[in-house]
Amino acid sequence: MFKIMYKKELSPGIFHMDIEAPRVAKKAKAGQFIVLRVDEKGERIPLTIADFDVEKGTITLIFQVLGASTMQLSALNEGDSIVDFAGPLGQPSEINGNMGTVVCIGGGIGVAPVYPIARAMHEAGNKVISIMGAKTKDILIFEDKMRAISDEVIIATDDGSYGVKGFVTTALQQLVDRGEKIDQVTAIGPGIMMKSVCDATRPLGIKTIVSLNPVMVDGTGMCGGCRVQVGDEMKFACVDGPEFDGHLVDFNNLMSRGRMFREQEAKAKEHVCNIGLGR
Amino acid sequence: MALVLEKHKMPEQDPQVRAHNFQEVALGYDEETAVAEANRCLGCKNPQCRPGCPVGIDIPAFIGKIKERDFDSAISIIKESSSLPAVCGRVCPQENQCEKNCVLTHKGESVAIGRLERFVADYQLDKNEEVKPIEFAPDAQKVAIIGAGPSGLTCAGDLARKGYKVTIFEALHVAGGVLSYGIPEFRLPKDKIVKREIDNLQKMGVTIEVNSIAGRLFTVDELMDEMGFDAVFVGTGAGLPHFMNIPGESLNGVYSSNEFLTRCNLMKAYDFPNHATPIAMGKKVAVVGGGNVAMDAARTSLRLGADKVYIVYRRSEAELPARAEEVHHAKEEGIDFKLLNNPVEIIGDENGWVKSLECIRMELGEPDASGRRRPVAIEGSEFELDVDTVIMAIGNGPNPIVASTTPGMDTNKRGNIIADEETGATTKEGVFAGGDIVTGAATVILAMGAGKKAAAAIDEYLKSKK
């Protein structure tokens, strides 16, 4: 059993949880993910690591309530436990001190997994410019954390309630327009956002890394459900990724595959609503 | 006594009924049938069955005890050699192993060794006896086993019985490996059989840690240098599924057999939404491949409610790698075998879902490297199979996580760990390996055989080190 040490609703439907998993915390690196199960009948859900604390022995997860499982997870409180927690999984981000200027882009709750990557890039001595995107000001997360480890933070909201009005690509374009020399972009967020970022950086020849979160079952390199088309190759996000060269990723296929279980997801949510969250 | 030429039949669920439920297909012998079947054994002076068993069970001896109705002794004899008899009695390909060389096959059918093994194993499980914990010496040496599948469990059982303190590290949340995620409930019941066999190992004194990703949570070097283990056995099993590299494999409605079976067996998607993991599938399913896994996926599809299920296999019936019994069961349940057909493209609809599977007819040419006649496409014979779900059951590559984090442990060009066939010794001192991670996809019993040989070799190695 893995205990929930801290819980906070950051904005409506978006939760921060610290889970006690000292062995995982000791080994976790920026860019990796974990797989958890809420209860004995639960599904295995992959979540990217948003932070880790070796001393406290905790892993921070940020998740948005979308389906039945995240709804159940969100109903648990500090002191409650989940049955399974496995990780760290996936390849860590490739980070060194000679990356130059890196633009770290997080859209929605994608800001959370971008945070440890941006922090590691910053700690390695690179110039980090962060772009944080949200629909509206109220659901923006991790602003203080991002400011603490970035040389500059640009915020973009769809409705213009905070920062630049527009998408993360609008903010990125401003950087380009002002003549900022960008050596790498790392973008994490919804598929359509990552696709737009890649479409913007491709003609400029800026190396762009994206972190993918496709459907997975085991997450350890066995089921093959997380396969993604990267250039001419079929790759598996769980062991080859989750980070890939964004210019080579077939985002249309990724997004289409993300809808494969939509009908079942609706049914599962209805089921959990009907019988209560305890299943 | 007149020779009975045929095996005693084992009762089975009616095919029409069982095709729609997940209960076990074969129901097992009762006592009288078991004794009658045991009496068919001639008790050869020079038994040909025993060399055929990958774990070397003393087959004539245990059958002799069944004749005497001494079932307790019968199972004790089996357990000297096998840690998982109730599993082996169900899923071993006995017809290619012990039963193949039975002297009775000259005249008729062999003794039903597998069914008898199953009978005594179930007899003992049903008695729910206390399992005596092993008393380990305070200075007992420690062995780490990576992967709680057939090879790891066997290796663990043998080493614990020799007095070593064994910890198995399992990546998934449940032990059993392919016994839990791969082989379906209707062939190998999970709670009734797999879980109980594993529980018994734990009661005996084997420690199993689930949710433990070796290679990520700790490396093999850390196991030996920091965590106090004196030897390591790597039995990580099958890894990433193979696909055919044809267009359309990323469409929705396409699964690897690993994913499809894991959803159903390990995650119990057949009980969705009560269990949270779903399977999205249509009513017409094509399973590509001809092995046991393909049969499992096809028969599982039927039970999940498919109306029409095809096996698409590029060679002919004679080359099907699946056990004859599995093919027979699949046909009885109404699986449609499209033999000598090879998929060339999966065609999708406007929503990105599978609409059909384009195949080309094949004919058999000259024998290839495997000795089987090579299938050759018949030009211009393409046709579309009307399906909405495609399951690729054409094998697996190795999982890269442990090998890539273990310097000094060499792999071959396919990524399989290089290990001595007789001892399982890898190129790294103190590290042994066996099962599918070494051989590529094979059977439960071959993996168990490898685990057993490695346990003996680890014993030798640790004695020499002490």
Side-chain angles (χ1 to χ4, degrees):
Chain A
M1 300 292 272
F2 299 83
K3 201 164 160 188
I4 298 165
M5 305 302 288
Y6 174 81
K7 177 193 175 186
K8 188 180 176 194
E9 188 164 10
L10 298 179
S11 65
I14 296 176
F15 290 85
H16 172 149
M17 268 187 189
D18 291 342
I19 312 283
E20 184 176 43
R23 291 200 303 179
V24 183
K26 203 173 135 195
K27 284 304 180 83
K29 290 197 180 74
Q32 292 184 302
F33 65 98
I34 57 90
V35 167
L36 67 81
R37 279 200 326 149
V38 176
D39 63 21
E40 283 302 336
K41 291 181 178 174
E43 60 184 333
R44 294 173 65 91
I45 24 181
L47 289 170
T48 312
I49 294 170
D51 204 353
F52 43 90
D53 187 324
V54 181
E55 271 172 37
K56 286 187 191 155
T58 55
I59 296 282
T60 298
L61 304 174
I62 304 294
F63 62 94
Q64 187 163 17
V65 174
L66 289 172
S69 297
T70 41
M71 195 191 285
Q72 280 189 301
L73 183 59
S74 71
L76 298 178
N77 292 308
E78 284 173 17
D80 291 343
S81 292
I82 56 174
V83 288
D84 297 300
F85 192 89
L89 289 157
Q91 304 288 347
S93 307
E94 278 179 33
I95 295 167
N96 60 58
N98 310 310
M99 299 173 82
T101 300
V102 192
V103 175
C104 291
I105 304 178
I109 60 162
V111 173
V114 128
Y115 167 69
I117 299 170
R119 180 178 59 189
M121 288 171 170
H122 167 79
E123 282 169 358
N126 302 293
K127 179 177 175 187
V128 175
I129 302 174
S130 296
I131 299 177
M132 302 168 60
K135 280 201 179 107
T136 183
K137 184 183 179 191
D138 295 345
I139 58 171
L140 193 71
I141 58 166
F142 269 39
E143 185 184 346
D144 293 345
K145 285 186 161 214
M146 290 299 277
R147 288 202 184 277
I149 51 96
S150 304
D151 294 271
E152 181 182 353
V153 171
I154 306 171
I155 288 162
T157 49
D158 296 7
D159 61 359
S161 53
Y162 191 28
V164 180
K165 181 178 189 312
F167 302 120
V168 292
T169 41
T170 319
L172 180 64
Q173 189 59 49
Q174 287 183 354
L175 283 179
V176 173
D177 290 346
R178 81 177 187 204
E180 187 73 46
K181 190 189 151 294
I182 301 168
D183 296 293
Q184 180 179 321
V185 168
T186 291
I188 309 181
I192 188 69
M193 183 213 89
M194 293 190 284
K195 180 176 191 284
S196 305
V197 169
C198 291
D199 288 344
T201 56
R202 191 178 290 111
L204 301 172
I206 301 170
K207 177 183 176 185
T208 303
I209 301 295
V210 294
S211 176
L212 308 183
N213 189 8
V215 172
M216 290 181 188
V217 186
D218 65 300
T220 66
M222 192 267 285
C223 83
C226 65
R227 60 189 183 277
V228 286
Q229 199 64 37
V230 181
D232 298 334
E233 290 179 279
M234 181 188 284
K235 294 282 191 183
F236 298 96
C238 69
V239 289
D240 298 324
E243 294 184 3
F244 294 102
D245 177 346
H247 293 154
L248 298 177
V249 171
D250 181 344
F251 284 102
N252 291 335
N253 184 247
L254 180 85
M255 289 185 277
S256 171
R257 283 182 63 76
R259 293 189 290 269
M260 179 158 165
F261 296 93
R262 204 157 49 171
E263 232 174 84
Q264 285 76 16
E265 281 157 8
K267 201 173 158 190
K269 206 167 166 181
E270 196 189 315
H271 177 76
V272 167
C273 292
N274 286 344
I275 64 162
L277 291 166
R279 207 199 301 274
Chain B
M1 204 193 309
L3 214 57
V4 182
L5 291 181
E6 287 181 4
K7 290 176 181 174
H8 287 80
K9 296 244 176 315
M10 180 159 58
E12 289 174 351
Q13 272 198 76
D14 180 83
Q16 301 310 314
V17 176
R18 73 184 192 230
H20 305 290
N21 70 49
F22 276 90
Q23 280 138 45
E24 198 170 12
V25 167
L27 303 171
Y29 281 161
D30 58 20
E31 271 190 40
E32 292 315 311
T33 315
V35 173
E37 181 63 27
N39 278 321
R40 290 183 65 227
C41 175
L42 302 178
C44 302
K45 273 204 180 120
N46 181 17
Q48 295 303 300
C49 49
R50 195 172 174 182
C53 176
V55 296
I57 292 172
D58 189 347
I59 294 165
F62 98 76
I63 292 181
K65 291 297 174 190
I66 298 178
K67 289 182 188 175
E68 297 168 18
R69 292 179 186 269
D70 181 359
F71 307 129
D72 291 305
S73 300
I75 188 65
S76 298
I77 292 168
I78 295 175
K79 287 211 158 167
E80 283 167 20
S81 311
S82 172
S83 294
L84 308 165
V87 171
C88 292
R90 286 171 166 81
V91 303
C92 267
Q94 290 102 3
E95 65 278 11
N96 297 324
Q97 297 175 165
C98 53
E99 294 180 8
K100 189 179 176 186
N101 296 319
C102 172
V103 69
L104 292 186
T105 57
H106 297 312
K107 288 267 172 86
E109 289 184 342
S110 73
V111 175
I113 300 168
R115 293 174 189 176
L116 291 174
E117 179 183 28
R118 170 182 164 149
F119 167 75
V120 286
D122 286 3
Y123 167 86
Q124 195 198 32
L125 281 181
D126 288 341
K127 277 175 60 176
N128 261 325
E129 280 172 353
E130 282 291 297
V131 177
K132 232 177 92 187
I134 292 169
E135 283 177 26
F136 296 101
D139 63 341
Q141 288 163 294
K142 285 169 66 183
V143 181
I145 292 186
I146 303 177
S151 70
L153 292 170
T154 301
C155 191
D158 280 19
L159 286 170
R161 276 187 284 269
K162 289 181 204 290
Y164 296 102
K165 278 192 181 162
V166 180
T167 303
I168 309 182
F169 297 99
E170 166 59 43
L172 295 176
H173 58 275
V174 174
V178 74
L179 308 176
S180 292
Y181 74 75
I183 303 176
E185 179 77 18
F186 58 84
R187 272 209 304 134
L188 184 63
K190 305 300 159 224
D191 286 350
K192 188 180 142 210
I193 303 297
V194 180
K195 188 171 176 302
R196 281 158 83 190
E197 296 240 48
I198 293 168
D199 283 351
N200 284 346
L201 273 177
Q202 288 178 283
K203 285 179 193 161
M204 203 172 86
V206 171
T207 303
I208 301 181
E209 288 192 23
V210 295
N211 293 319
S212 298
I213 322 277
R216 292 267 180 262
L217 207 51
F218 44 79
T219 62
V220 169
D221 283 319
E222 285 168 342
L223 281 171
M224 298 206 285
D225 299 341
E226 294 167 26
M227 295 164 73
F229 290 98
D230 300 288
V232 176
F233 174 77
V234 183
T236 46
L240 291 162
H242 288 318
F243 287 86
M244 292 184 71
N245 278 322
I246 58 173
E249 289 182 304
S250 293
L251 287 166
N252 287 346
V254 181
Y255 292 95
S256 73
S257 49
N258 279 7
E259 180 182 358
F260 186 78
L261 291 171
T262 300
R263 284 179 179 275
C264 194
N265 300 326
L266 180 75
M267 307 309 297
K268 309 210 183 302
Y270 59 81
D271 185 34
F272 176 82
N274 194 29
H275 278 79
T277 305
I279 287 188
M281 64 181 282
K283 290 287 178 190
K284 292 165 287 183
V285 181
V287 179
V288 179
N292 288 321
V293 175
M295 301 304 137
D296 285 346
R299 297 170 71 197
T300 297
S301 303
L302 268 189
R303 285 158 173 80
L304 288 172
D307 294 330
K308 185 75 193 169
V309 182
Y310 302 98
I311 288 276
V312 178
Y313 179 58
R314 65 198 179 119
R315 301 179 198 247
S316 75
E317 172 131 16
E319 289 82 18
L320 279 172
R323 291 183 66 194
E325 185 182 315
E326 302 307 326
V327 175
H328 170 71
H329 278 151
K331 284 185 175 169
E332 273 188 339
E333 291 169 12
I335 307 288
D336 191 344
F337 282 70
K338 294 280 180 198
L339 302 170
L340 287 167
N341 284 298
N342 203 28
V344 288
E345 180 174 357
I346 306 169
I347 298 167
D349 65 14
E350 63 283 4
N351 298 318
W353 268 85
V354 175
K355 188 176 77 174
S356 65
L357 179 67
E358 187 179 318
C359 301
I360 188 163
R361 292 185 213 286
M362 310 291 278
E363 59 190 353
L364 292 180
E366 296 301 309
D368 63 12
S370 74
R372 297 180 298 180
R373 290 178 63 192
R374 195 165 67 87
V376 186
I378 303 172
E379 222 172 289
S381 67
E382 290 89 346
F383 67 100
E384 274 185 47
L385 203 57
D386 177 22
V387 295
D388 43 35
T389 307
V390 174
I391 302 169
M392 290 291 174
I394 55 171
N396 309 285
N399 186 309
I401 299 178
V402 174
S404 67
T405 53
T406 310
M409 185 178 74
D410 293 348
T411 55
N412 64 21
K413 62 176 188 292
R414 285 191 305 274
N416 293 106
I417 297 173
I418 297 169
D420 186 283
E421 224 174 281
E422 285 312 307
T423 65
T426 68
T427 51
K428 190 177 179 71
E429 198 198 325
V431 182
F432 299 75
D436 283 9
I437 188 62
V438 171
T439 58
T443 59
V444 168
I445 188 71
L446 285 175
M448 288 177 60
K452 194 167 188 65
K453 283 178 180 171
I458 291 170
D459 181 38
E460 286 295 312
Y461 168 74
L462 290 180
K463 273 184 191 153
S464 75
K465 242 182 88 178
K466 211 168 179 180

